[in-house]
Amino acid sequence: MKHMKKLSLVTFLAIGLFGLSACDSLVGGLNDDLNNPTDASAELTFTGVELANITVHEGYHSLMTSIWTGHYIGVDRQWAD
């Protein structure tokens, strides 16, 4: 019985010391959001704007062309505003 108490005391002390130790090296860069940069050069920003504009316009024109030429058949595939 004394051995069990000693073992549990040592276990709780080890867990306590482990919990109080610093683990900053493990979670140092955890809060850095790589998908949301805080600064970017003008060249990269302009390239992103150009690509977004192309995506919007090409998608719209392709969709309208497909609707008017009859490639999309059926009510479920029609474009609704």
Side-chain angles (χ1 to χ4, degrees):
M1 190 68 167
K2 283 188 174 190
H3 180 67
M4 189 68 163
K5 284 184 182 181
K6 187 177 179 181
L7 183 62
S8 63
L9 179 64
V10 169
T11 303
F12 284 128
L13 283 175
I15 290 173
L17 288 176
F18 181 72
L20 292 176
S21 65
C23 56
D24 192 34
S25 63
L26 294 175
V27 293
L30 196 61
N31 291 328
D32 296 337
D33 187 7
L34 300 177
N35 293 326
N36 191 10
T38 56
D39 59 340
S41 66
E43 181 179 325
L44 290 176
T45 305
F46 186 67
T47 303
V49 170
E50 282 181 322
L51 288 174
N53 190 20
I54 289 169
T55 301
V56 167
H57 282 65
E58 287 298 317
Y60 175 76
H61 292 303
S62 297
L63 180 66
M64 291 305 293
T65 303
S66 296
I67 288 173
W68 285 104
T69 57
H71 287 116
Y72 293 152
I73 298 173
V75 178
D76 61 333
R77 293 182 183 89
Q78 294 296 317
W79 181 58
D81 189 19

